[in-house]
Amino acid sequence: PLIDHSILILKKIDKDNLKKIKIIIQSPKKKYVELSEFFKKLNIDYEINEFYNNIDMILSIANIAITRGGAGTINDLIRHKVPSLIFPLPHAIYNHQYYNAKYLSDIKAAVLIDEKNINIDRTVKILLTMINDLNYRKNMKIAFEQIDKLDTNQLMLNKIFS
């Protein structure tokens, strides 16, 4: 699962870089205690919730997202131009999360990580580059400009009621 991979990745990041991170994580309640203990042990600033009603506010201030690749998530990342590490859900129907993530990866707005064949050291290196290289993140944000911003909610309503 994504949370377990995130833990493995964070374990490999040095203390100086961990100080630069604030994690806002959406997690099942059954993981709260484990995650809280882990973040406290690493001295990471964090917030855990089962669901966030203020995702637009969170993404508007986020520098990086580590996420799945569902359509709603991809839409949010595009709208807020958030450079991302995207781990598509491996068992998503028709592998749609992979193709969603690949779209952003192909234009260099995100990095697609194949969860089935993950290389933790490579993923750590990518994340550290995203954390420390402002130009890298800036170029990822600029890459979003290639995407026509459509009002997806209105498009869905038009489709439903046409």
Side-chain angles (χ1 to χ4, degrees):
L2 179 56
I3 290 173
D4 296 335
H5 289 310
S6 298
I7 288 172
L8 291 173
I9 292 164
L10 289 170
K11 281 182 178 178
K12 291 191 166 245
I13 295 180
D14 62 274
K15 289 181 182 182
D16 287 338
N17 280 303
L18 288 174
K19 289 178 187 174
K20 300 175 186 177
I21 298 172
K22 174 172 182 172
I23 294 187
I24 300 174
I25 188 167
Q26 186 169 306
S27 168
K29 279 190 177 181
K30 65 182 180 183
K31 288 280 207 177
Y32 279 23
V33 172
E34 174 190 351
L35 288 169
S36 291
E37 289 174 359
F38 174 73
F39 294 141
K40 286 176 186 172
K41 182 179 173 187
L42 291 180
N43 200 27
I44 295 175
D45 187 12
Y46 71 95
E47 181 180 328
I48 302 174
N49 212 328
E50 202 168 19
F51 184 79
Y52 288 95
N53 290 315
N54 60 339
I55 197 66
D56 283 319
M57 191 280 299
I58 291 169
L59 291 175
S60 72
I61 61 170
N63 292 316
I64 300 168
I66 299 174
T67 187
R68 291 289 188 197
T73 300
I74 297 298
N75 186 54
D76 290 341
L77 296 174
I78 291 169
R79 191 171 61 247
H80 294 285
K81 300 178 185 172
V82 182
S84 307
L85 286 176
I86 304 175
F87 292 73
L89 188 65
H91 307 295
I93 191 162
Y94 306 119
N95 208 17
H96 73 281
Q97 289 201 10
Y98 169 82
Y99 292 106
N100 293 344
K102 186 174 181 332
Y103 176 74
L104 292 185
S105 178
D106 286 350
I107 64 166
K108 308 284 190 251
V111 178
L112 189 157
I113 306 292
D114 179 0
E115 194 169 349
K116 293 183 211 170
N117 301 306
I118 189 168
N119 178 323
I120 295 293
D121 290 330
R122 178 181 170 274
T123 306
V124 168
K125 185 176 178 183
I126 293 166
L127 181 57
L128 287 173
T129 300
M130 292 174 81
I131 291 168
N132 292 307
D133 188 338
L134 184 59
N135 284 326
Y136 184 77
R137 276 199 327 266
K138 182 180 175 188
N139 288 334
M140 291 178 90
K141 284 177 135 338
I142 290 169
F144 283 104
E145 299 297 329
Q146 301 170 57
I147 302 170
D148 288 333
K149 311 275 186 315
L150 304 173
D151 183 345
T152 54
N153 292 332
Q154 189 61 50
L155 288 172
M156 286 189 285
L157 286 172
N158 291 346
K159 186 71 171 171
I160 290 169
F161 295 111
S162 64

